[in-house]
Amino acid sequence: MKVTCVFSRRDPSTVKTISGATVYKTDDILNHKDEIDVLIMCGGSATDLPEQTPAMAKYFNVVDSFDTHKNIPVHFENVDKASKEGGKIGIISVGWDPGMFSLNRLFGSCILKDGADYTFWGKGVSQGHSDAIRRIDGVVDARQYTIPVEEALDAVRSGSQPQLTTRQKHTRECFVVAEDGADLKRIENEIVIMKNYFDEYDTTVHFISKEELDRDHKGIPHGGFVIRTGKTGVNLENNHVIEYRLKLDSNPEFTSSVIVAYARAAYRLNKEGASGCKTVFDIPPAYLSDKSGEELRKMML
Amino acid sequence: MKVTCVFSRRDPSTVKTISGATVYKTDDILNHKDEIDVLIMCGGSATDLPEQTPAMAKYFNVVDSFDTHKNIPVHFENVDKASKEGGKIGIISVGWDPGMFSLNRLFGSCILKDGADYTFWGKGVSQGHSDAIRRIDGVVDARQYTIPVEEALDAVRSGSQPQLTTRQKHTRECFVVAEDGADLKRIENEIVIMKNYFDEYDTTVHFISKEELDRDHKGIPHGGFVIRTGKTGVNLENNHVIEYRLKLDSNPEFTSSVIVAYARAAYRLNKEGASGCKTVFDIPPAYLSDKSGEELRKMML
């Protein structure tokens, strides 16, 4: 597995890769068709991937991390059409949510039919919420953490299958650097009442210096929990809890680690003659590994 | 999904099923070939399944829970040959370990290449260890719990990738009913020094009455943890923890719930024309579900 090259919309001479891989203009991509086994799509879900993944899926095996949950069905159709036309594999929505969390929701619901599942996010940095705070007048920089509520986690683990509101599941904590002399009361108020972002949550705002922000909040940690609880037995007298937890120092580095594993699967499936759009639900887990079926059964089963 | 019938080596008239399904003699099984989509093999791993699964795999789609880890490669070959001869699907070693735990070991190692994985069992009843105690002279009944050591779990979760001995990972707790007047000191000593079963563990023995055993220890709970930790980053400066936990009131009921989900996969794969032996590593997760790919992408991805 190696990075052959990188394609950028920027001027290639301004982009330096850590691996040393050569950078080309995105417009030149079709000239490199034969050097590339799998193309990893690194654009954003809002406007990049809905265009780029179908456009490239005709020419390359592709993997993306499209994460606008409600638009996945349309994205799937578009990529499926292009991939089939080109006889290629396109795996979409790879990462941890969607991705590993989705897999755990699926396995949990198939095993414990009589049950309920819960997804909690955090503790982790929400880039979207941090951006929203930065757009407030008088704010220099900001970092927002999403935090699962411990009591809600415990209630779920008890197997009681509670109904939980948005406010009961997560809290939001904000670290804000304000301009000198800015009205902190006003900034705090604008944050906590912000529609769709903060109004449905209990939100705490801390004002700190730029030095503190850079020193204590420079990482991009994230993670969360998928918990399925369910009952079995003649009188449903037995409770079961399946809990999957991620605790990640770097959200983008973990996400890309998942994507690289699925890139291997895309290549192998296509080598076997398969084409079309796939998701993590469709991929036999052994395809992620560089070990043979024989080795896997011996070492890991 | 329904139980069509049950096959037993006992006299069918002495066996009553909870579902009301008819019980037949095992010898009559081939007369019911056309009524059965998938045969779930419920024998033991020591002597039953190595014979029974290959024998039946020629005529039926089969799922078993063969769990003698070191003999899985041979069992796979035997079932593969028979299944291919009969044009059927045989899925072996389904349950939680092997099974869901194996899947989590596989996913973890494919995503976090630079890391280590750890499996802990319990708190739960070990049937084999309970049996071993019952064979000691002067013992009427016994129940043995395997318990993961909390400090070991925390050391693993820290990402330090510790080397842990058998003794450091688990303790064993025994509840024993002794005959009136039995030498309790001798029984306790025979337990804690028992080769392969207890000598490598810190073991606690409690003597209790038959009434207490029946009242407080009648369940068959089990569970455990698969934890993968690994590092990413230019200087491997970022730590990640993937933790999968099961907490089960009934080990056999959860195991059978996993098996039933994979029975659906066996049937569907065979309907598509596939044959041969498979494990959980080979099955696309969507095959476990009764929902269509479209529904799954919309609801769970």
Side-chain angles (χ1 to χ4, degrees):
Chain A
M1 184 79 78
K2 77 170 192 185
V3 182
T4 311
C5 51
V6 171
F7 297 92
S8 175
R9 288 172 291 198
R10 283 174 280 170
D11 174 357
S13 69
T14 67
V15 185
K16 204 170 166 301
T17 60
I18 292 170
S19 66
T22 315
V23 181
Y24 300 107
K25 283 292 282 180
T26 302
D27 298 341
D28 291 339
I29 197 162
L30 292 183
N31 297 329
H32 297 272
K33 227 171 123 355
D34 300 333
E35 301 158 38
I36 297 164
D37 292 325
V38 187
L39 201 63
I40 293 179
M41 310 297 301
C42 301
S45 293
T47 55
D48 293 334
L49 297 176
E51 299 260 322
Q52 293 171 350
T53 311
M56 291 297 110
K58 211 171 139 179
Y59 305 104
F60 299 94
N61 295 313
V62 296
V63 182
D64 80 16
S65 54
F66 183 76
D67 69 354
T68 312
H69 289 259
K70 73 173 178 0
N71 295 339
I72 286 174
V74 171
H75 190 56
F76 183 92
E77 291 309 321
N78 294 339
V79 176
D80 195 48
K81 193 164 167 284
S83 297
K84 281 182 178 150
E85 245 178 81
K88 298 292 181 182
I89 288 282
I91 311 183
I92 61 163
S93 301
V94 177
W96 59 275
D97 198 358
M100 298 311 296
F101 273 18
S102 322
L103 274 177
N104 278 279
R105 288 188 285 262
L106 175 62
F107 280 120
S109 70
C110 293
I111 295 169
L112 296 174
K113 301 289 282 183
D114 203 314
D117 62 59
Y118 299 82
T119 301
F120 290 86
W121 297 273
K123 183 182 175 173
V125 172
S126 166
Q127 310 264 25
H129 287 74
S130 301
D131 284 346
I133 299 173
R134 279 187 215 108
R135 283 194 295 267
I136 293 173
D137 196 44
V139 170
V140 176
D141 204 350
R143 192 51 61 106
Q144 193 272 175
Y145 295 93
T146 306
I147 304 169
V149 175
E150 205 56 55
E151 292 75 29
L153 280 167
D154 287 341
V156 166
R157 289 183 185 119
S158 76
S160 67
Q161 301 184 20
Q163 293 272 11
L164 296 170
T165 63
T166 298
R167 192 176 298 275
Q168 285 171 320
K169 286 182 72 185
H170 298 92
T171 57
R172 296 193 178 278
E173 192 172 20
C174 316
F175 293 87
V176 180
V177 180
E179 283 171 10
D180 277 351
D183 180 349
L184 304 187
K185 211 66 227 156
R186 177 200 39 92
I187 292 174
E188 177 171 354
N189 191 52
E190 281 193 38
I191 294 172
V192 300
I193 66 168
M194 199 186 296
K195 276 258 177 289
N196 299 322
Y197 283 87
F198 293 100
D199 60 334
E200 290 182 48
Y201 298 86
D202 289 335
T203 301
T204 322
V205 179
H206 308 279
F207 289 97
I208 60 174
S209 68
K210 178 74 177 147
E211 290 68 39
E212 286 171 305
L213 191 84
D214 291 343
R215 185 190 66 210
D216 302 334
H217 304 281
K218 70 174 181 341
I220 321 176
H222 220 314
F225 303 80
V226 173
I227 304 176
R228 174 86 184 180
T229 67
K231 294 171 188 302
T232 63
V234 182
N235 302 111
L236 297 180
E237 67 276 21
N238 289 316
N239 249 308
H240 307 282
V241 183
I242 307 173
E243 178 168 338
Y244 182 78
R245 178 182 194 177
L246 295 177
K247 199 163 169 289
L248 314 173
D249 274 357
S250 166
N251 183 354
E253 289 180 10
F254 186 82
T255 300
S256 57
S257 299
V258 180
I259 290 173
V260 168
Y262 278 92
R264 173 175 288 118
Y267 172 73
R268 292 172 67 180
L269 281 165
N270 189 242
K271 265 219 136 170
E272 291 178 6
S275 69
C277 189
K278 309 278 177 190
T279 75
V280 294
F281 295 158
D282 307 309
I283 312 290
Y287 280 70
L288 308 184
S289 176
D290 54 8
K291 296 188 172 56
S292 70
E294 211 172 338
E295 288 174 298
L296 291 178
R297 288 190 292 275
K298 204 171 161 179
M299 296 164 53
M300 284 190 203
L301 195 61
Chain B
M1 184 80 77
K2 77 170 192 186
V3 182
T4 311
C5 52
V6 171
F7 297 91
S8 175
R9 289 172 289 199
R10 281 174 282 171
D11 174 356
S13 69
T14 67
V15 185
K16 204 170 165 301
T17 59
I18 292 170
S19 66
T22 315
V23 182
Y24 300 107
K25 283 292 282 181
T26 302
D27 299 341
D28 292 339
I29 197 162
L30 292 183
N31 298 328
H32 298 272
K33 227 171 121 359
D34 300 333
E35 301 157 39
I36 297 164
D37 292 324
V38 187
L39 201 62
I40 292 178
M41 310 297 301
C42 302
S45 293
T47 55
D48 293 334
L49 296 176
E51 298 260 320
Q52 292 171 350
T53 310
M56 291 297 110
K58 210 172 138 181
Y59 306 103
F60 298 95
N61 296 313
V62 297
V63 182
D64 80 16
S65 54
F66 184 77
D67 68 354
T68 311
H69 290 259
K70 73 174 177 1
N71 295 338
I72 285 174
V74 172
H75 191 55
F76 183 92
E77 290 309 322
N78 294 338
V79 175
D80 195 48
K81 191 162 169 283
S83 297
K84 281 182 178 149
E85 244 179 80
K88 299 290 182 182
I89 288 283
I91 311 183
I92 62 163
S93 302
V94 178
W96 58 275
D97 197 358
M100 298 312 296
F101 272 18
S102 323
L103 275 177
N104 278 279
R105 288 188 285 262
L106 175 62
F107 280 120
S109 70
C110 294
I111 295 169
L112 296 173
K113 300 290 282 183
D114 203 314
D117 61 59
Y118 298 83
T119 302
F120 290 86
W121 297 274
K123 182 181 177 175
V125 172
S126 166
Q127 310 265 23
H129 287 74
S130 301
D131 284 346
I133 299 172
R134 279 187 214 106
R135 284 193 294 267
I136 293 173
D137 196 44
V139 170
V140 176
D141 204 349
R143 190 53 61 107
Q144 193 272 175
Y145 295 93
T146 306
I147 303 170
V149 175
E150 204 57 53
E151 292 75 31
L153 280 167
D154 287 341
V156 166
R157 289 183 185 119
S158 76
S160 68
Q161 301 184 20
Q163 292 273 10
L164 296 169
T165 62
T166 299
R167 191 177 298 275
Q168 285 170 319
K169 285 183 71 185
H170 297 93
T171 57
R172 297 193 177 276
E173 191 171 22
C174 316
F175 293 88
V176 180
V177 180
E179 282 172 10
D180 278 350
D183 180 350
L184 304 187
K185 211 67 227 155
R186 177 200 38 93
I187 292 174
E188 177 171 355
N189 190 52
E190 282 192 37
I191 294 172
V192 301
I193 66 168
M194 199 187 295
K195 274 257 176 294
N196 300 321
Y197 284 87
F198 293 100
D199 62 334
E200 289 181 50
Y201 298 86
D202 289 335
T203 302
T204 323
V205 179
H206 307 280
F207 290 97
I208 60 174
S209 68
K210 178 74 177 148
E211 291 68 39
E212 286 171 307
L213 191 84
D214 291 343
R215 186 191 66 211
D216 302 334
H217 304 280
K218 70 175 182 339
I220 321 175
H222 220 313
F225 303 79
V226 173
I227 303 176
R228 175 86 184 179
T229 66
K231 293 170 189 302
T232 63
V234 182
N235 302 110
L236 298 180
E237 67 276 21
N238 289 317
N239 249 308
H240 307 282
V241 184
I242 307 173
E243 178 168 339
Y244 183 78
R245 180 185 192 175
L246 294 177
K247 199 162 170 288
L248 314 173
D249 274 358
S250 167
N251 183 355
E253 290 179 9
F254 185 83
T255 300
S256 58
S257 298
V258 180
I259 290 172
V260 169
Y262 278 92
R264 171 175 290 117
Y267 172 72
R268 292 173 67 181
L269 281 166
N270 189 242
K271 266 219 136 171
E272 291 178 7
S275 69
C277 189
K278 309 278 177 191
T279 75
V280 293
F281 295 157
D282 307 308
I283 313 289
Y287 280 70
L288 308 184
S289 177
D290 54 7
K291 295 188 172 57
S292 70
E294 211 173 337
E295 288 174 299
L296 291 178
R297 288 189 293 273
K298 204 171 160 178
M299 296 164 53
M300 283 189 203
L301 195 61

